[in-house]
Amino acid sequence: MRWYDPGLGRGIIDADDGKVVFLPYHAIDGTDIDRFLLDEDERIEFDAEEGEFGFDGITGQYRATRVRPLE
């Protein structure tokens, strides 16, 4: 993951295949507040949907869904 800000509830993932993926907080699996406390260097897995997504000057082609930490 490139970065994630729990206060803003969004971030950017650098996927292993080179994709840049937008990470919205609601895509993180789980039900308690700890699910929003991802570390920037944490390895995660996720699904991604395609589309045109703009984010703070970065236009991405993918948005993360079903984000979960690797165990």
Side-chain angles (χ1 to χ4, degrees):
M1 181 166 22
R2 182 184 303 177
W3 68 269
Y4 177 73
D5 184 328
L8 294 175
R10 56 189 173 186
I12 297 291
I13 300 168
D14 288 320
D16 290 341
D17 63 2
K19 293 176 184 169
V20 174
V21 182
F22 173 65
L23 169 59
Y25 77 92
H26 61 270
I28 303 169
D29 282 355
T31 56
D32 60 8
I33 194 67
D34 289 340
R35 74 187 181 114
F36 301 117
L37 302 177
L38 298 174
D39 294 322
E40 288 186 10
D41 293 327
E42 185 171 1
R43 299 276 304 159
I44 58 174
E45 59 183 352
F46 60 93
D47 299 327
E49 59 184 36
E50 291 187 58
E52 286 291 328
F53 305 108
F55 180 73
D56 291 345
I58 299 171
T59 300
Q61 296 293 316
Y62 304 93
R63 179 188 305 252
T65 61
R66 295 194 60 241
V67 176
R68 57 236 172 245
L70 279 175
E71 296 180 10

